[in-house]
Amino acid sequence: MPDRGIRAGVRRLFRLPLASDANARADADDELASFLDARIESLTARGMTPPEATAEALLRLGGGETLQQVRDRLYHSATHREKRMRLHELLMDVRNDLRFGVRQLVKEPVFAVVAILTLALGIGANTAIFTVVDTVLLRTLPVPNADRLVEIGDPAAVNGDMRGGQMARVLSLPLYKDLRANSHHIVAGLAASGTAGQLYVRIGAKNEFEHPTGRYVSGNYFNVLGVTAERGRVFGDGEDGPPGSSPAVVISDAYWRRRFGGAANIVGSDIDFDGARLTVVGVARPGFTGDISELSTDIWLPINMKTVIQPHDGLIDDRGTSWLLLLGRLAPGVTLARARTEFTSLMRTSLVANSQSPGEAEQFRHEPISVTSGASGFSAVRHTFHAALLTLQVGVALLLLIVCTNIANLLLARAVKRAPEMSLRLALGAHRTRIVRQLMTESAIVAILGAVAGLGFAWWGGQALVASATDGSGIASATIDLKVLAFTVAVAILAMLGFGLAPALRASGVNLAAPIQSAGRTLVSSGRGGRIPIGRVLVPMQVALSLVLLMGTALLTRSLRNVDNGDPGLDRDHILTVDVDVAQRGVKGDRFFALARDISTRIANLPGVQAVTYSQNGLFRANDSNALVTVPGFAGQSHEDSTLRYDLVGPGYVRGIGGRLLRGRDIGSNDDAHAPSVAVVNETMERFYFKGQSAVGKVFYFEPGVPTTIVGVASDVRDHSLTGPQRRRAYAPYAQQLDAADQPALTLEIRTTGDPSLLSKSVKAAIASVDANLPLVGVAPLSQRMHDSISEQRLVVVLAIGFGFAALLLAAVGLYGVMSCSVAMRTSEIGLRSALGAQQRDLLGLVLRDGLRLVAFGIAAGVPLALIAARALGSQLHGVPATDPVSMAVALAVLLVCAIAASFIPALRASRIPPAVALGRGR
């Protein structure tokens, strides 16, 4: 028993785990035996016989319990006491470790600041990217049971507004009504929402306009989503009545506070939509911003009020006007797979039954129908930025690995100074696990402070990144919520294990038989004849990971340069684009063409204008049109082969945008509604349908339609996207394809002799001289629109350059630190070499070779990793192969230059060590 007491005392002294389960039971048995022996001895002394004394002692001990029951009770009591002691000692240990760790960091402020800021960079970058990934890709709608929602239609077509024929990508109001009437067995409710476009709300005494973000929704929209009102009410079945019967709006909590100052009497007040007055019936509950993940909706309007608010925007109940996306809540027991099957069948049945031609019906029998989970809502940027954000998340993970290796190097260098302390602890009997726990506590403090500092960077960076991803308009903010905090904590823990565990194990493993100085030397010395030191493993790791990031950065930069500087086939630097909102004023038919002609004439007479034309869809805008075509003599292999992109354009369109006419003629002013139907096609269409023959004079059919004669072939033009395959495209005269009842769209393309932005004021004045009430939605140089169209690639490249630079800097710092420690440990050797006649250049080369040897190991490991990573980037590269030798050469050159620079200063310091140092240390 005394031996066990001594062992327990030793355990408590060094804070190691106390008695095991077997020892606790043995202690209880000893305590019970001691008590019984003492009691029996006392009773025997009073005159009892030994059997009587034993029975009496057991009776007094247990009060009727058996000996085994008493033993179990004592064991449980001892175990409970041991657990409380363990918990108390653990808490005391943690408190003492934290205090000691903080004191150690305060004693070494340079190390603490460098380590914390470096870690903040790694954790902050990871958290910043994750906040964007969460906002754009992962976050669900803030509604009850969002996982039971289902989306019908293309989730990215949040502003879709297609006219001329039925669509499955976005839906018409009649198609929505068909699905709603026949889907009660699939969904508990089916709601519709569609873009409100540009809203004109009059504010203030000056009758100025503001343009809140709005959505037209069905009456059951809020009920299907499960969203209630903070004030007033939300829409109900009454908002699904005849057109114009529901002059009501629901506004968001944010818009109520921003626009109306949170006025208590908001319910019942009116909002003037350029002459149409609607009453606010409710304010949606806080936190709900609509069904678009990245967009904060201000106003929700009943679908049946579209004809009142935008009376010139066409017939909303026309099957050829497609502009709605649908959200349904699955009925109990219905799975997403079943809903997909059922809705696909219902939609195809409706589309085929209302098709205008056999070809269109056949198209809808095979066209894919999008039915997906609606938990995350609709998003215009989710698909666009999906690959880019995942690439960035991988990039910042690599950056964090480099950060961890860099901090591990710092810890190894720090361990050199603390080797005497560790040796003393071990000599006094401290267990290695106790030292590791103390060192890991210090690493935990660094990780906690780095995570806190990183959160500030993450919040700022996340806001900036979401703004970049969504063009900064009406975005849902990137917030630091519980999910982001949990991610940050997880990253901090992984980082702590990554940079703290290996140095702690190595520092706690000091060889007591060696001198204290040599213990420190083993951490950074060359390792000849022994284990490879951690410092000389971490540096090649940093180099390898840095090479991966640099290779990816070089590839993405060259890809962006190819995209940005490629020939789009038009005059990108001398075109001013102007979007004229003719729909707001109801301009259509002959009045539209007269207006377009007058505006073009006025602008053409301005100094510095080479040509003026116009089109329906414009250049580098989201709008595009496609149609099924029939080409005599051509037999397609799929429905896609019969699909043609097209635009309706004004006279002189090819010349107006700076394109090249290869054969035939351009669209002329005589190509009006009374002339034969004609079109100009691009060379991709000519090559695909006519197989090397000239397309001029050939005929094709817009289905259904009259024969269209090809009068010209233009060179291929990048007019909607700078990336992706070249599309087959036709340009048809506006005047021949537009029905009198259709509401046209007007985008002006003005080709100038100089900087197009300098003509903005003159162009606006010329348009105002024709009609001062025409609203201009956008006036921008084409180069700006093209620049904005590759915001995804530009964002990735900018961040990749930042990550690459940070990785390079960290790798250089790590190499510098290891080489500096190596020189410090080899001072005597270098001084002795100098005393024996070694020249300065020899000593310089000695240390440089040592550093570059580490870099060479890193490059050998990094090249295959970089090639693997480059292949993963293949879908985001344009005009650059994944194995691009130029990118690899640039990455290697940059890495080598930085490595030489990082090794040169320690090498120069080593070459200047005087021989007296060696002799002095030798005495």
Side-chain angles (χ1 to χ4, degrees), residues 430-602:
H431 198 277
R432 186 180 180 188
T433 56
R434 185 66 185 84
I435 295 177
V436 170
R437 192 170 72 187
Q438 171 62 53
L439 295 176
M440 290 302 295
T441 300
E442 296 176 19
S443 296
I445 296 172
V446 173
I448 292 170
L449 295 176
V452 172
L455 278 175
F457 170 78
W459 181 85
W460 173 81
Q463 296 286 344
L465 289 176
V466 171
S468 299
T470 55
D471 296 329
S473 96
I475 61 168
S477 61
T479 55
I480 305 296
D481 56 13
L482 290 178
K483 188 189 301 183
V484 174
L485 286 175
F487 176 84
T488 305
V489 170
V491 170
I493 292 173
L494 290 175
M496 178 193 68
L497 295 175
F499 69 74
L501 188 57
L505 292 174
R506 178 58 62 90
S508 66
V510 175
N511 183 5
L512 293 178
I516 289 177
Q517 290 84 355
S518 66
R521 188 176 302 174
T522 59
L523 296 172
V524 293
S525 62
S526 63
R528 295 183 181 91
R531 293 179 300 173
I532 298 176
I534 295 179
R536 292 182 170 267
V537 173
L538 295 179
V539 168
M541 284 178 56
Q542 283 183 295
V543 171
L545 294 174
S546 299
L547 182 60
V548 172
L549 282 178
L550 289 172
M551 177 68 173
T553 300
L555 286 171
L556 291 171
T557 302
R558 280 173 55 78
S559 174
L560 178 64
R561 185 175 181 182
N562 287 343
V563 171
D564 213 6
N565 296 336
D567 181 13
L570 45 71
D571 192 355
R572 65 189 302 165
D573 296 322
H574 299 96
I575 293 179
L576 183 69
T577 62
V578 181
D579 297 327
V580 184
D581 193 355
V582 293
Q584 175 65 17
R585 298 303 174 199
V587 179
K588 60 177 61 176
D590 291 339
R591 184 184 168 202
F592 167 77
F593 291 113
L595 178 70
R597 183 176 59 252
D598 291 346
I599 290 176
S600 298
T601 301
R602 293 289 180 92

Side-chain angles (χ1 to χ4, degrees), residues 628-680:
L628 286 175
V629 296
T630 300
V631 180
F634 175 83
Q637 301 298 315
S638 65
H639 291 282
E640 177 62 27
D641 290 346
S642 299
T643 301
L644 178 71
R645 304 293 178 97
Y646 73 93
D647 199 358
L648 304 183
V649 301
Y653 181 77
V654 175
R655 174 176 174 269
I657 64 173
R660 301 190 305 274
L661 197 64
L662 304 179
R663 284 171 286 282
R665 67 174 178 86
D666 203 345
I667 301 298
S669 57
N670 295 327
D671 294 319
D672 55 21
H674 306 291
S677 182
V678 299
V680 173

